[in-house]
């Protein structure tokens, strides 16, 4: 069992949704598992006029509502006294001095600062901490996405942060990197010999990355109007998954080696057929037997909005391993189900010696993030009986069947890693900037055009145009599993 050294964990924006839904439940689980040091202190910082008791009551309520396991009163009684509140604004000055004094009274050397606040506050928090001298070498600055809104703003944000902290102190979150199945991509590729020899353009026809969600924008209309699907999930989660599939083997699994390799592959990655990228938007539907609004009817959304809630994009990677192999990535809100997966499609054999009516299907490796986390290998097998007739067979690995252990939530992994000082699963400045460089042509082309988005019905698999995009090269989207086993 890993146990992190003692620290003080400061949550900026502790009164917000992220703290209640993700951070406090994750810290509570780490406490339950004994991974968080018994001397670790948690400080909530917000503008609200709360005190320690109010913070504790709110966080207890949050745990009951959003906690991962059963709420355990004895465990809570143990943790609650280690929570304290510090009031202040984010603009700098007084609040940060109050925080500095508060931290002195808790007498830990290591301070972790987590920005669970609106992105517009990130720069002032970095500056405020710097001005209050809270950026000493054992401080860590953990920053949530979205990291900027385009390449220029991401560069400016990096510059401000790096004026106050060294890169080694900065932990940029992309929670997809901490999902068990995302980490398992490295294990599959680099801890085995059977996959890696075929993991290249000689054998792989193309790669698909899908992140589908049944939810709409969940009351985040004004955020989503600014962000859209490309800024919200393509620039970060989808590109990270594509990079994990495509990266070269690192010499060792540490922050520098892993991130060096990811940056190398991201530098070689670019969008092709930018004008053919499909930008879609959901319209009403009655999936899951309830009526669902059109995006344009959601609260906080312009009734003529062109914002994309769905995108399908073709990427290429110009390097020796991947030249000529399309990476198709797609994501959308209000699709059939919550399904995220990566599918490696292999080329068909150069010669098949059997006679049959239909040619055999391509072999596929399916890496499932959700539902049914696991891996399936789909291949052709002989159907029993006289003569040779082929059908698809499958070898399946399901995490929950193979390993009788709970999959930790991504935030548990990330918070523990940050406490341990391990930045392998966090993004480096150059990585984030490369990801913006990759999506900028898509954003610029779409934002400078006047076309209507490709509309799709809520509860479908997205616009027909996305099917056409693959059909043009004789391919089709993989149908993800939709039901949990
Ligand atoms: C977030 C996006 O980063 O990821 C959300 O802002 C999205 O729009 C969420 O719903 C999906 O995360 P997960 O872990 O539920 O797949």
């Amino acid at each position: 069992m890993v146990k992190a050294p003692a620290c003080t964990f400061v949550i900026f924006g502790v009164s917000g949704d992220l703290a209640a839904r993700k951070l406090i439940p994750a810290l509570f689980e780490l406490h339950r598992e004994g991974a968080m040091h018994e001397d670790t202190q948690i400080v909530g910082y917000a503008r609200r006029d709360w005190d320690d008791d109010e913070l504790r009551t709110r966080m207890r309520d949050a745990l009951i509502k959003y906690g991962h396991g059963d709420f355990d009163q004895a465990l809570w009684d143990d943790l609650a006294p280690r929570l304290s509140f510090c009031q202040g604004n984010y603009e700098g000055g007084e609040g940060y001095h109050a925080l500095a004094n508060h931290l002195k009274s808790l007498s830990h050397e290591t301070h972790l600062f987590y920005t669970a606040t609106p992105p517009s506050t990130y720069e002032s928090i970095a500056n405020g901490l710097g001005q209050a001298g809270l950026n000493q070498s054992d401080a860590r600055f953990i920053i949530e996405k979205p990291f900027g809104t385009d390449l220029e703003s991401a560069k400016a944000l990096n510059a401000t942060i790096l004026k106050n902290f060294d890169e080694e102190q900065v932990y940029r979150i992309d929670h997809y990197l901490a999902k068990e199945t995302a980490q398992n991509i490295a294990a599959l590729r680099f801890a085995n010999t059977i996959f890696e020899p075929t993991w290249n353009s000689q054998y792989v026809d193309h790669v698909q990355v899908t992140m589908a969600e049944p939810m709409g924008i969940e009351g985040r209309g004004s955020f989503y109007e600014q962000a859209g699907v490309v800024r919200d999930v393509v620039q970060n989660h989808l590109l990270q998954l594509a990079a994990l599939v495509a990266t070269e083997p690192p010499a060792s699994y540490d922050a520098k080696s892993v991130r060096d390799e990811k940056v190398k592959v991201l530098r070689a990655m670019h969008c092709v057929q930018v004008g053919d990228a499909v930008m879609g938007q959901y319209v009403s539907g009655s999936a899951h037997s309830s009526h669902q609004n059109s995006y344009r009817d959601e609260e906080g959304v312009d009734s003529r909005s062109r914002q994309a809630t769905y995108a399908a994009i073709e990427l290429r990677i110009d390097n020796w391993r991947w030249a000529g192999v399309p990476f198709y990535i797609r994501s959308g809100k209000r699709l059939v189900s919550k399904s995220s997966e990566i599918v490696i499609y292999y080329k068909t054999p150069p010669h098949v010696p059997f006679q049959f009516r239909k040619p055999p299907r391509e072999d596929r490796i399916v890496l499932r993030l959700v539902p049914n986390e696991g891996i399936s290998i789909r291949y052709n097998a002989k159907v029993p009986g006289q003569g040779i007739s082929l059908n698809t067979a499958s070898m399946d690995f399901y995490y929950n069947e193979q390993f009788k252990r709970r999959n930790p939530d991504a935030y548990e992994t990330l918070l523990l890693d940050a406490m341990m000082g391990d930045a392998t699963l966090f993004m480096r400045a150059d990585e984030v900037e490369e990801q913006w460089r990759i999506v900028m042509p898509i954003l610029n082309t779409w934002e400078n055009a006047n076309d209507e988005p490709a509309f799709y019905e809520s509860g479908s698999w997205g616009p027909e145009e996305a099917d056409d995009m693959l059909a043009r090269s004789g391919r089709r989207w993989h149908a993800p599993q939709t039901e949990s086993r």
Side-chain angles (χ1 to χ4, degrees):
M1 163 63 69
V2 181
K3 185 177 205 136
C7 65
T8 301
F9 194 94
V10 181
I11 304 175
F12 284 99
V14 76
S15 54
D17 230 30
L18 181 67
R21 283 175 189 265
K22 293 289 182 187
L23 305 185
I24 293 294
L27 290 168
F28 193 65
E29 278 321 299
L30 295 178
H31 172 56
R32 192 201 301 270
E33 304 231 315
M36 187 164 79
H37 198 282
E38 47 284 354
D39 291 336
T40 288
Q41 299 282 332
I42 299 167
V43 175
Y45 183 104
R47 296 191 192 113
R48 302 278 168 98
D49 188 16
W50 287 3
D51 58 13
D52 294 351
D53 284 341
E54 176 87 28
L55 175 73
R56 290 171 190 155
T57 309
R58 302 264 183 168
M59 295 304 116
R60 185 181 182 278
D61 293 348
L63 274 177
I64 292 171
K65 198 159 168 199
Y66 304 117
H68 305 153
D70 294 335
F71 178 72
D72 181 330
Q73 184 64 43
L75 268 179
W76 172 248
D77 291 342
D78 190 31
L79 184 66
R82 285 150 56 192
L83 263 69
S84 56
F85 184 71
C86 183
Q87 188 189 16
N89 62 27
Y90 303 118
E91 285 78 45
E94 252 176 58
Y96 293 87
H97 291 294
L99 180 62
N101 287 333
H102 187 66
L103 293 180
K104 239 182 247 155
S105 73
L106 299 174
S107 65
H108 280 140
E109 300 282 302
T110 309
H111 301 141
L112 273 64
F113 299 104
Y114 197 113
T115 60
T117 47
S120 56
T121 63
Y122 295 168
E123 298 201 34
S124 34
I125 295 177
N127 286 331
L129 290 170
Q131 282 151 13
L134 288 171
N135 55 349
Q136 11 27 344
S137 60
D138 39 17
R140 290 172 206 149
F141 188 61
I142 311 173
I143 181 161
E144 261 295 334
K145 69 176 267 284
F147 197 92
T149 54
D150 57 16
L151 180 56
E152 286 316 304
S153 57
K155 282 185 174 167
L157 181 52
N158 271 332
T160 305
I161 294 171
L162 296 174
K163 211 170 64 196
N164 294 291
F165 294 92
D166 293 335
E167 177 61 42
E168 290 65 40
Q169 295 176 273
V170 184
Y171 291 68
R172 296 175 193 77
I173 293 221
D174 181 328
H175 76 281
Y176 264 59
L177 288 178
K179 288 186 183 270
E180 283 292 314
T181 22
Q183 293 182 71
N184 198 35
I185 298 171
L188 178 85
R189 294 186 52 199
F190 308 139
N192 298 294
T193 45
I194 58 173
F195 300 105
E196 205 50 25
T198 62
W199 208 266
N200 56 51
S201 63
Q202 196 181 342
Y203 296 101
V204 174
D205 178 72
H206 73 282
V207 175
Q208 298 182 8
V209 181
T210 296
M211 174 186 171
E213 296 185 285
M215 306 94 83
I217 50 170
E218 308 286 285
R220 296 192 300 163
S222 53
F223 160 76
Y224 211 84
E225 277 288 88
Q226 302 300 317
V229 65
V230 175
R231 291 185 172 89
D232 188 33
V233 300
V234 174
Q235 183 270 343
N236 34 72
H237 307 329
L238 268 79
L239 289 186
Q240 281 291 333
L241 293 177
L244 291 177
V245 170
T247 175
E248 292 300 317
S252 70
Y253 202 67
D254 59 56
K256 178 163 182 354
S257 312
V258 169
R259 298 191 297 179
D260 281 351
E261 292 303 340
K262 271 201 287 163
V263 168
K264 253 200 255 169
V265 81
L266 287 167
R267 282 203 190 117
M269 199 182 275
H270 59 104
C271 297
V272 289
Q273 317 287 3
V274 170
D276 290 350
V278 179
M279 305 293 271
Q281 189 185 84
Y282 62 81
V283 294
S284 62
S286 51
H288 317 296
S289 38
S290 64
H291 175 79
Q292 320 222 307
N293 274 346
S294 291
Y295 175 70
R296 289 178 176 179
D297 295 332
E298 302 275 19
E299 205 184 316
V301 171
D302 188 319
S303 58
R304 285 170 309 161
S305 174
R306 293 177 63 246
Q307 191 53 278
T309 59
Y310 176 101
I313 295 169
E314 179 178 344
L315 300 169
R316 291 288 173 110
I317 300 173
D318 288 341
N319 64 15
W320 190 279
R321 186 190 282 261
W322 293 114
V325 178
F327 278 61
Y328 299 109
I329 60 177
R330 62 173 171 165
S331 181
K333 296 281 187 196
R334 284 256 192 269
L335 299 185
V336 176
S337 64
K338 176 103 184 143
S339 314
S340 299
E341 61 170 33
I342 299 164
V343 188
I344 318 291
Y345 272 84
Y346 279 80
K347 292 180 175 170
T348 46
H351 170 71
V352 183
F354 314 115
Q355 301 287 331
F356 38 55
R357 272 172 286 139
K358 268 200 318 193
R361 294 285 317 270
E362 318 85 338
D363 298 339
R364 278 152 286 161
I365 300 183
V366 184
L367 311 170
R368 271 186 313 277
L369 279 81
V370 72
N372 310 326
E373 287 92 331
I375 299 170
S376 293
I377 300 181
R378 313 268 290 158
Y379 59 100
N380 293 299
K382 181 183 172 305
V383 178
Q386 280 79 32
I388 299 275
S389 164
L390 300 177
N391 210 337
T392 304
S394 188
M395 284 193 273
D396 298 310
F397 152 64
Y398 291 94
Y399 264 83
N400 59 357
E401 288 173 9
Q402 181 78 24
F403 302 111
K404 305 281 178 231
R405 289 187 55 172
R406 185 182 70 92
N407 262 2
D409 179 72
Y411 275 88
E412 291 171 36
T413 305
L414 289 170
L415 300 192
L416 183 61
D417 281 4
M419 289 177 188
M420 304 283 297
D422 180 354
T424 310
L425 301 180
F426 295 82
M427 293 183 296
R428 212 165 58 186
D430 48 357
E431 214 173 326
V432 181
E433 291 179 14
E434 281 303 327
Q435 291 175 196
W436 277 116
R437 183 208 38 85
I438 295 167
V439 298
M440 285 320 294
I442 299 280
L443 287 170
N444 289 336
T445 306
W446 178 243
E447 283 165 9
N448 291 326
N450 291 315
D451 318 347
E452 284 284 44
F455 294 110
Y456 62 98
E457 198 177 323
S458 289
S460 69
W461 274 118
E464 281 170 13
E465 287 83 342
D467 297 337
D468 299 343
M469 177 178 144
L470 262 66
R472 283 195 283 278
S473 56
R475 300 179 174 114
R476 59 182 175 177
W477 292 104
H478 185 254
Q481 289 188 3
T482 52
E483 303 285 327
S484 294
R485 278 164 53 105

